[in-house]
Amino acid sequence: MKKTLLLKVDPLRPEPEKVQAAAAFIKKGGLVAFPTETVYGLGADALNPKAVLALFEAKKRPLDNPPIVHVANTNDVHKLAGQVPKEAELLMKTFWPGPLTLVFKHADAVPKVTVAGLDTIAIRMPQHNVALALINESSCPIAAPSANLAGKPSPTSAQHVFDDLNGRIDAVLDAGATCIGVESTVLDMSVNPPMVLRPGGTPFEALKKALGDVRLHPFVVAEEEVPLAKARSPGMRHKHYAPNARVFLVEGAVPAVVAKVKELTEAYRLKQCKVGVLATDETMAAYSANAVKSLGSRFNLAAVAQNLFRLLREFDSEGVDVIIAEGVPAEGLGLAVMNRLRKASAYNIVRAE
Ligand code: AMP
Ligand code: MG
């Protein structure tokens, strides 16, 4: 087991010596977890195949699910991508740095392992001074999936990274909790019209406004498991965001949802299960369970997104057997929240009527 170095760093003005220490690991082919505005990423030199392979191993990530490559300037996009359509130039100007990942056909120089053998590459520029400083200091694009063990909820703090990866990676840059809390939106620019493969920190509504014609891949809003053959993005077919507890997601109008959550809570408590309810500010007083946690207000879906993964991990550390979660409106950041909750529940969706 390696020793994982914890480097506390100022989120706005990262101390150069700490960034240099982290970049030294990246340059040697090592692995460094770092904050972005979405979740913590686990970084490796995207152009070093051995380093990227070690990244997959540390996360226990299936080799067919490629990471996002993070850049600090748009010149690197032109080195990594074969073709950059003009709509993509507009998106980069409008949304970067920020939580939007663009998928392009990749250039020949990109190692196969970095793109998992696909003919495309996913690229974004994160909006976080620590991430940008690390990429600049490392002098290479950084391949970085979320810094969790594959299948677990994504990490929104350095502690979450440690809980999953201590002893498996070289260092963690700790700049406190991340502000968006769900991963970036993945938009496929290699097809026409562009298609959202994963909803995330950039709302679909904002992309529609910028592009006019943009589609949601049907699986983004899927209410059941994706058949393997139809997945456009490798991430669609892997187990994701799952806490140890069994998750039920209750969807419908709020009063019916509250009644259904209460009914399920009672039923599982009678079975001697330790039950956690994932509620909202407006509804939490209605519940009594072993643990009741609020995602935030239903009228502030950005706060809901920010709290989601932390609360799923908290239920696990409290040893909850069953989590009963309320659905929220699938609009703005709520679309990403509902996509993650549906996957976390393994599509155990209960309709409240
Ligand atoms: P993560 O890095 O853990 O946030 O996951 C990255 C996401 O981007 C996963 O859902 C991947 O499947 C997806 N992804 C990465 N590269 C590509 C690509 N070339 N085409 C489509 N999706 C991709
Ligand atoms: Mg991930």
Side-chain angles (χ1 to χ4, degrees):
M1 190 155 119
K2 4 178 147 189
K3 166 134 184 47
T4 300
L5 185 66
L6 178 70
L7 295 161
K8 282 219 184 266
V9 61
D10 187 300
L12 295 176
R13 274 170 245 90
E15 297 80 351
E17 65 280 7
K18 297 192 180 160
V19 176
Q20 282 156 14
F25 286 117
I26 299 279
K27 288 180 183 170
K28 279 190 304 204
L31 305 178
V32 176
F34 61 95
T36 75
E37 78 280 37
T38 58
V39 301
Y40 273 72
L42 178 60
D45 178 349
L47 301 177
N48 176 342
K50 274 200 188 129
V52 177
L53 191 60
L55 179 76
F56 281 95
E57 280 164 6
K59 270 184 64 83
K60 303 188 181 169
R61 180 167 169 120
L63 281 168
D64 66 352
N65 190 12
I68 291 166
V69 176
H70 292 66
V71 298
N73 62 73
T74 46
N75 285 344
D76 277 352
V77 176
H78 295 275
K79 290 184 196 152
L80 296 163
Q83 302 147 261
V84 178
K86 70 174 188 320
E87 295 83 9
E89 303 276 2
L90 169 78
L91 293 174
M92 291 190 275
K93 273 205 191 92
T94 312
F95 293 99
W96 281 10
L100 178 64
T101 295
L102 300 174
V103 173
F104 302 108
K105 293 265 187 262
H106 69 71
D108 294 339
V110 181
K112 270 206 166 65
V113 61
T114 304
V115 292
L118 300 177
D119 60 357
T120 52
I121 183 167
I123 309 177
R124 87 171 185 107
M125 189 190 292
Q127 186 175 34
H128 196 296
N129 288 355
V130 175
L132 293 170
L134 179 66
I135 300 166
N136 279 324
E137 189 64 36
S138 303
S139 312
C140 60
I142 294 187
S146 49
N148 51 328
L149 283 174
K152 292 283 150 210
S154 294
T156 57
S157 72
Q159 185 60 50
H160 297 161
V161 178
F162 250 81
D163 291 345
D164 279 16
L165 298 175
N166 188 18
R168 304 177 68 84
I169 63 177
D170 294 296
V172 183
L173 284 164
D174 176 1
T178 60
C179 79
I180 293 180
V182 290
E183 302 86 342
S184 59
T185 300
V186 177
L187 181 64
D188 189 351
M189 297 305 296
S190 73
V191 294
N192 197 1
M195 186 171 311
V196 171
L197 303 180
R198 175 178 77 180
T202 299
F204 181 59
E205 293 86 340
L207 295 176
K208 261 206 307 220
K209 207 165 155 197
L211 286 173
D213 200 3
V214 51
R215 308 277 161 90
L216 277 179
H217 192 284
F219 295 127
V220 164
V221 286
E223 295 180 9
E224 50 195 70
E225 200 101 48
V226 177
L228 286 188
K230 295 200 177 156
R232 241 329 274 167
S233 178
M236 288 176 182
R237 52 175 186 247
H238 291 291
K239 188 173 164 228
H240 255 105
Y241 317 114
N244 299 324
R246 184 163 175 209
V247 181
F248 289 93
L249 175 60
V250 184
E251 297 187 21
V254 177
V257 166
V258 171
K260 191 54 121 183
V261 170
K262 281 179 163 173
E263 185 190 315
L264 285 168
T265 303
E266 274 317 297
Y268 279 94
R269 290 189 75 180
L270 283 174
K271 291 189 198 168
Q272 311 298 323
C273 290
K274 193 168 173 185
V275 179
V277 173
L278 194 54
T280 47
D281 287 355
E282 289 77 16
T283 58
M284 72 181 297
Y287 304 125
S288 90
N290 299 89
V292 179
K293 297 178 192 289
S294 174
L295 286 162
S297 169
R298 296 185 151 267
F299 301 104
N300 184 357
L301 295 171
V304 168
Q306 196 179 29
N307 292 321
L308 175 68
F309 289 135
R310 175 176 56 83
L311 295 183
L312 290 177
R313 281 179 178 258
E314 276 181 26
F315 280 128
D316 268 355
S317 59
E318 292 165 21
V320 161
D321 305 303
V322 177
I323 298 171
I324 301 169
E326 289 180 359
V328 295
E331 58 196 39
L333 284 178
L335 184 65
V337 170
M338 287 304 284
N339 170 269
R340 306 306 187 272
L341 276 173
R342 285 172 175 170
K343 289 187 169 204
S345 77
Y347 297 94
N348 240 320
I349 301 171
V350 179
R351 302 249 157 253
E353 267 142 29

